[in-house]
Amino acid sequence: MDSIYDRALTEIGNENKYQNRYDLIYHIIFIVFWVAAYLNIILAITVTPHECKIPEKPHNISHLDWRIKNIPRYEDIKGKIQFDSCSMYVDPYKSNETKACLEYTYDTTWYDKTVPSEYNWVCDKELNVVTIMMSMKIAEVVGSIFFGWFSDVYGRRYTYIISVTMLLLGRLISLLSGNSYIIFCIGCLTAHLPSSTAAQTISVICLEMSSLKRGAAITKLRLVASSCGSFIMPFIMWWARDWKLFVILTTAPLIPFVIMSWKVIESPRWLYAQGRVEESIIILKKIAKTNNKYMEANTEKIMISLNEKAAEKPQVCGVFTLFSSRRLALNTILQTIVWMVSSLSYVYLLMSSGEKTDSNPFLEFAWQALIEIPSVYIAAWLADSIGRRYTGMTSLGISAVMWTSIVIRENSSGGLIREWWVGSLINIIARLTTLVTFFVMNLLSMEFYPTCLRQTGMAFGNVAGGTVSAMVPYIIYLGRRYDPRIPGFILAITSFLGIIAAFILPETLNAKLPETLEEAQHFGSKDSSRDSEQLKPLKV
């Protein structure tokens, strides 16, 4: 079945004008806008520095002395005196009795208004923000499972339309939520339930109407556009300073894509695989017309007359097959550990990059996004030079050093390590090494498993990573409210765990990769001669 379809695809042009125009509209313009709309909530719900609103000061006292008079102070882990952000004295002239803030004042150095500062979701209500962030991650996990199934059953086109519409609708609900935490949360869940489905779907459509060798180019193009969208977004917030205006500016560009979404084509390969051959041919002829090509009459005739039931059915494997042998189960578990470790680091860096830092938080967010572009090329070069396993171990090792440096930095009150640019550099390097780990894990997932298990294996790793990353909002909360060393300590420990897991994983570079379930069940075993055989490594 695939051979005649690929023949038709070659005849109509599988790397021509239509595919290039599709890349420009969807893999560049759409992805830039989509990423900005998808990630804008991270900056919108940033918790800015705050403290109790105190009575207007008398003329005969300085502002600092008046704060000291009304706001309790404490000594932090570095021995520095800090003002309490959640309480004030009941009557500073009579006793040291304190009470919770009734009103707040917020630091407007970088943000005029964020969701927490407008609705006072701070102090005892700060868990509102944590719960929203955690709920969004859980929604992404559930959505990735559901929409992955939906795309295979009902088509790529409907999946794209629903995903973009839900993102736009969800942001609108959050904007109109007022002070209602429940409605705001519903908006966030609606927007994040499709997860990254829209971006993945347009790539699948493009790949299924192109030559297979364009797969790597499509993936890299989407990643670069995603990084550009993430890079541009914080500058919009820097200019807007108000979360509502910022969300409107970064979400509105998706409206034309929703309006024109019905013009998006269905994947002709998916239609053909579903037995809807006539519909597939109509789309192929549309592509051919744009490419100034045509489909041979005999090719069309064979496609229509082909009996699908006579086609060879692929081997079907479920998620439990990943644990069908001792060695395959070990490979799956080790790979999943690395997925979870890298997901934890990446999501922490993403969610915390909008927080107030020693430097400009918008530049911090932008530089971290920009570093993702070279990380792909560095990862590809290292993976083919020193191997997948050692690349993973190296990137995780550097990440562990960076997180340990964060702990040391937060424990220091002065010196070079406390310079603002050192903190930015640590985060940027951690973001780069985490992306290198992600690249390697995607590569290993494709190489560890045969065709019947490849998508299942990758999905299992993504779901596990997404599930554990739901803990990140609480890690940020613990670092903000209790001890700033906690996030670095947790991420350093998990990174060392990832190094051990990566070390035990078998190497796939220049190894004979499994093509059947039986080979996958023995891949990496010491008593298996398959590991010593040579095969050209799979490229991405």
Side-chain angles (χ1 to χ4, degrees), residues 39 223-224 226-228 230 346 350 366-377 428 431-432 435:
L39 296 180
L223 177 64
V224 170
S226 297
S227 298
C228 289
S230 299
Y346 181 80
L350 189 65
W367 301 144
Q368 286 191 38
L370 198 62
I371 200 64
E372 292 186 1
I373 298 176
S375 68
V376 179
Y377 300 93
I428 289 171
R431 184 78 164 258
L432 185 148
L435 263 294

Side-chain angles (χ1 to χ4, degrees), residues 64 67-69 71-75 81-84 87 89:
L64 177 60
R67 286 180 70 197
I68 294 173
K69 191 75 174 174
I71 305 294
R73 292 175 295 164
Y74 65 93
E75 186 176 298
I81 302 299
Q82 304 285 353
F83 285 97
D84 193 294
S87 65
Y89 292 118

